[in-house]
């Protein structure tokens, strides 16, 4: 059982660049609070994967847009991942969507405004009953009325190092410099895009985790939620 009682429908928005620790923090918080954790990056990863899986290039915007409706229709996005209808079965695509190449593909579809609009309703619907949701535009666009918003950062080098050690732990042979270069390119695509760029919401609390442990970041967030009376400790 969760250690905390949350107000009904509590929405906690967590945004930040790749490798800022959003995913880990969101998972730890969801666990603490007993709330579903929704990783919106997975949605963009799925869209990129779906398009390539169906033989189209991500550089062909018309082809991407023509596949949007079908891609959303066969997808089941839940706190435990993304499942795709295949006949009577549902295939769990989550782990293949976590690869570096799926991340790169995601950042290409994520710059397309119509893709973002198509995914907006999906994200708002699933968030209605309360959640911890992480992404790039959650506090600014997807859930502007979320009761609590956090913007996580860390230095580019530290973020690359974290990504490198995650991939190494999974047994992937990776080079730190190429991870750092890819991260830089992805940051630029996320920050410079016209539609829903990565930016801190005015009312978000910024936390720089470069020299903090993940436990410390979670404690800091719980502290804010408790002070604002959004959560209370179970006796
Ligand atoms: O967090 P991630 O690495 O899984 O995200 C993959 C890509 O999707 C990344 O380039 C940014 C994009 N993204 C986005 O534009 N908006 C979101 N809410 C989440 C992810």
């Amino acid at each position: 059982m969760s250690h905390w009682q949350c107000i009904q429908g509590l929405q906690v928005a967590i945004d930040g660049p790749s490798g800022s620790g959003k995913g880990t923090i969101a998972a730890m918080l969801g666990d603490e609070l007993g709330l579903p954790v929704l990783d919106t990056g997975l949605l963009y990863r799925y869209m990129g994967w779906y398009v390539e899986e169906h033989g189209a290039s991500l550089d062909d915007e018309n082809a991407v847009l023509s596949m949007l409706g079908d891609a959303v229709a066969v997808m089941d996005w839940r706190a435990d991942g993304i499942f795709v209808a295949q006949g009577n079965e549902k295939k769990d695509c989550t782990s293949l969507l976590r690869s570096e190449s799926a991340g790169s593909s995601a950042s290409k579809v994520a710059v397309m405004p119509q893709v973002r609009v198509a995914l907006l309703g999906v994200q708002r619907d699933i968030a209605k009953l309360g959640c911890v949701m992480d992404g790039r535009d959650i506090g600014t666009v997807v859930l502007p009325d979320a009761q609590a918003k956090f913007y996580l950062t860390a230095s580019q080098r530290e973020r690359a190092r974290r990504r490198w050690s995650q991939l190494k732990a999974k047994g992937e042979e990776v080079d730190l410099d190429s991870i750092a270069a890819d991260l830089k390119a992805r940051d630029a695509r996320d920050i410079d895009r016209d539609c829903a760029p990565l930016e801190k919401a005015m009312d978000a609390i910024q936390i720089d985790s470069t020299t903090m442990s993940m436990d410390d970041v979670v404690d800091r967030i719980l502290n804010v939620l408790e002070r604002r009376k959004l959560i209370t400790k179970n006796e």
Side-chain angles (χ1 to χ4, degrees):
M1 201 185 88
S2 157
H3 303 130
W4 301 90
Q5 184 73 43
C6 304
I7 63 157
Q8 190 145 19
L10 174 62
Q11 295 176 331
V12 181
I14 303 192
D15 290 301
S18 298
S20 57
K22 295 184 309 294
T24 309
I25 298 298
M28 289 167 76
L29 261 184
D31 212 37
E32 260 310 305
L33 300 176
L35 289 176
V37 178
L38 299 162
D39 167 8
T40 60
L42 211 50
L43 270 186
Y44 291 92
R45 286 168 181 262
Y46 165 73
M47 294 307 298
W49 169 80
Y50 183 95
V51 170
E52 290 188 315
E53 184 76 0
H54 287 79
S57 158
L58 297 173
D59 297 324
D60 181 352
E61 189 161 349
N62 286 333
V64 175
L65 299 184
S66 73
M67 290 182 182
L68 263 182
D70 286 348
V72 172
V74 297
M75 168 194 82
D76 183 10
W77 177 39
R78 310 197 299 236
D80 56 343
I82 288 197
F83 301 78
V84 180
Q86 278 186 348
N88 290 334
E89 304 271 297
K90 283 209 168 162
K91 179 179 167 201
D92 183 354
C93 294
T94 317
S95 63
L96 72 95
L97 297 178
R98 300 249 184 244
S99 70
E100 276 305 279
S101 68
S104 255
S105 307
S107 74
K108 292 181 189 154
V109 290
V111 298
M112 299 175 191
Q114 279 153 291
V115 170
R116 304 199 71 86
V117 169
L119 296 179
L120 201 53
V122 178
Q123 294 171 88
R124 286 182 178 159
D125 271 354
I126 201 170
K128 271 187 194 144
L129 297 177
C131 62
V132 177
M133 184 173 267
D134 79 87
R136 303 293 191 289
D137 59 342
I138 309 305
T140 49
V141 177
V142 180
L143 303 177
D145 297 328
Q147 295 92 337
K149 302 178 183 179
F150 298 91
Y151 187 81
L152 297 188
T153 59
S155 71
Q156 217 166 50
R157 196 71 196 167
E158 172 60 15
R159 292 188 286 120
R161 197 200 56 74
R162 285 178 191 167
R163 184 69 91 207
W164 174 81
S165 66
Q166 266 173 2
L167 292 170
K168 241 185 117 117
K170 282 203 282 179
E172 287 187 38
E173 214 29 72
V174 280
D175 166 58
L176 181 58
D177 286 333
S178 71
I179 298 265
D182 185 59
L183 200 79
K184 204 168 166 185
R186 223 185 278 184
D187 277 358
R189 273 204 289 265
D190 289 345
I191 293 167
D192 297 336
R193 67 171 175 242
D194 293 330
C195 181
L198 168 66
E199 63 180 337
K200 179 184 160 306
M202 296 257 280
D203 51 351
I205 294 178
Q206 181 156 343
I207 301 177
D208 182 336
S209 71
T210 308
T211 59
M212 286 173 84
S213 73
M214 294 293 143
D215 282 330
D216 289 345
V217 176
V218 170
D219 281 348
R220 182 123 155 234
I221 293 178
L222 289 174
N223 227 294
V224 171
L225 299 179
E226 197 178 12
R227 263 201 335 264
R228 292 191 187 168
K229 303 197 179 352
L230 297 170
I231 60 172
T232 43
K233 212 167 201 142
N234 282 328
E235 292 307 323

